[in-house]
Amino acid sequence: MAALFTGMLLFYLITGAPCPINGFDNALQESPAARGRYTVFCAVATAIMLALSVFFILYVRRSWRRPGIAAILSFVFSLVFVMIWGVADSGRPPDNQVLIFASIQFLIAGLIILHPIESVVYFVVSFSLFGLMLGLYGEAEGHGIDELSYLATLDIVVSWIVYGLFQRGVRREQVIADMSRRDELTGAKNRHYLRDDFDNIIGTQHFVMLCDIDNFKHYNDDMSHETGDRLLRDFFFALREAFGDECTYRYGGDEFLVVSPDFDEEEFLQKIERCNKQLKHVMAGEENAELTFSGGYTYGVPQRGEDFRIMLRRADEELLAVKHSSKKRVSGHAYVA
């Protein structure tokens, strides 16, 4: 906090902006009542400033989980509040004070991204405090509640518009980023997405299954690539229907990866059966054969990245064993480190 106020005082001294030093100098030259009034007012304003700083720190940390943003907002709000009573106590004409204060607030509304709740709290409290100071110093004539309310409302609206544009830009970036992490043919997550999901997998129980379409090379090479592409999409849709989009990845070629946080093996096998039922409605080729798949899985709690890589290797070994035997089935076992 000492560093915060030191930085603010340096800002005022460098820029020449009005600050509490002006009010302190004026109060020393006036009556004891003026000095007492100034002291009480500064104490109240400081309490409000600190309370709002705590509010923004807690609110931003809970919502965005970015303490750095919370610290920046707290500093800016403290800076503005100190400037508020510095402007009001600097002896400048009321019109000039309102112009300076309104310009500062409009700049904040346009440049700082505030959540709608944050903007309402900030602008309502700051304009109320500014109006109270003008009243205490007898300079509120011609600047009533209606005018300050209008300015506060205008800043809130501007802040909401800026926030909306910012959120739209964020969503657009997320869409673009999501497209780059998904398979172009099926829409499934790819390996890049798997790396992003890595932290959510480590430390919790997951079933890891590698699976592929039986006789895919026959459908893709002997019939047509269009048939192969269609079967890959149908296979992904069946996996997604059973396990969810967030758990299904295209791992390479006709091979798909499922990383599912199921509670027990029975639940996981029920989802595999659901996938098989979905595939019964898919005709694999001209001979109207049903589409089938083989899979290998393991399950456990990967405590570190190496554990997860071992689980992938075990699942791949199980898949190879199934492919070399009867196909059309899924086999697996628990992972033991």
Side-chain angles (χ1 to χ4, degrees), residues 38-52:
Y38 179 80
T39 302
V40 171
F41 181 77
C42 286
V44 172
T46 301
I48 294 175
M49 176 192 71
L50 294 177
L52 274 179

Side-chain angles (χ1 to χ4, degrees), residues 135-207:
L136 288 175
Y137 284 92
E139 298 176 348
E141 296 181 3
H143 301 282
I145 297 178
D146 293 341
E147 183 176 344
L148 293 179
S149 299
Y150 167 77
L151 293 173
T153 303
L154 179 63
D155 286 332
I156 290 173
V157 171
V158 171
S159 180
W160 285 359
I161 293 174
V162 171
Y163 180 82
L165 294 174
F166 172 76
Q167 289 298 319
R168 187 170 68 176
V170 169
R171 286 192 295 269
R172 185 177 301 171
E173 290 182 1
Q174 289 175 343
V175 169
I176 295 174
D178 190 65
M179 290 175 61
S180 68
R181 296 179 299 166
R182 286 188 177 272
D183 174 54
E184 185 176 357
L185 174 64
T186 63
K189 293 180 175 180
N190 58 25
R191 295 195 184 198
H192 298 294
Y193 221 129
L194 179 62
R195 283 194 287 268
D196 293 338
D197 293 341
F198 199 72
D199 291 339
N200 297 326
I201 298 172
I202 301 302
T204 57
Q205 174 163 307
H206 279 78
F207 282 72

Side-chain angles (χ1 to χ4, degrees), residues 3 77 146 155 162 172 217-218 257 277 315 323-324:
F77 298 143
D146 293 341
D155 286 332
V162 171
R172 185 177 301 171
K217 182 175 177 60
H218 164 66
L257 169 68
K277 290 180 180 179
K323 300 291 283 188
H324 289 155

Side-chain angles (χ1 to χ4, degrees), residues 92-143:
R92 299 189 179 190
D95 288 338
N96 185 262
Q97 295 180 28
V98 172
L99 178 61
I100 294 175
F101 179 68
S103 300
I104 293 171
Q105 296 291 73
F106 191 77
L107 189 64
I108 291 173
L111 295 181
I112 299 180
I113 309 300
L114 297 176
H115 188 277
I117 296 178
E118 296 171 357
S119 64
V120 170
V121 172
Y122 169 69
F123 287 112
V124 169
V125 173
S126 61
F127 271 94
S128 299
L129 184 60
F130 182 71
L132 176 62
M133 280 191 289
L134 289 178
L136 288 175
Y137 284 92
E139 298 176 348
E141 296 181 3
H143 301 282

